[in-house]
Amino acid sequence: MTNSNNDWKEALNSPDAFKDLITNYFKEHKQLTGSYDIPSYYEHYTVTLDSHDGIVITLVTGMNQTGGSGNVSAPLPFKQRESMSIEDFRNLILHKKFADQDMSLADVFQTVAGVPDASDDDNN
């Protein structure tokens, strides 16, 4: 994958070019990880490419323990696993209107995983 942030956007125009871009990305990076943490809540995601399942997004969400009453324990984390073909992922991107035109491919994976942007928390 080249260094340009716009390469993935150009590749969206062709199913073959997008498949090549995604395949090459995961050959080079193996996986993409990210997270969103606030004092009471967290989400961690991992994106991989599987030859059988396609793009696999694993999302772990949970509640952070807060100080104070020592008897209260946080619920166990919840783990979700979503698989989609590269072409389904391309179509999802094509039909979703992203607010920020300067999004990187990592930003798109984060959005597809459903992980809020850190700036979303600043608006509360």
Side-chain angles (χ1 to χ4, degrees), residues 2-15:
T2 62
N3 294 331
S4 173
N5 233 13
N6 292 322
D7 287 348
W8 71 270
K9 293 174 188 173
E10 293 172 16
L12 283 172
N13 297 320
S14 162

Side-chain angles (χ1 to χ4, degrees), residues 109-123:
F109 277 120
Q110 177 178 329
T111 301
V112 171
V115 177
D117 189 330
S119 64
D120 291 345
D121 187 47
D122 296 339
N123 296 330

Side-chain angles (χ1 to χ4, degrees), residues 3 6 21 26-27 36 40 44 47-49 56 59 69-70 73-74 76 88 95 101 108-109 115 117 124:
N3 294 331
N6 292 322
L21 179 124
F26 283 107
K27 280 181 185 174
Y36 172 78
S40 61
H44 302 282
V47 182
T48 58
L49 184 64
V56 178
L59 182 65
S69 61
S73 62
L76 293 174
D88 286 345
H95 295 102
Q101 295 300 317
V108 174
F109 277 120
V115 177
D117 189 330
N124 292 334

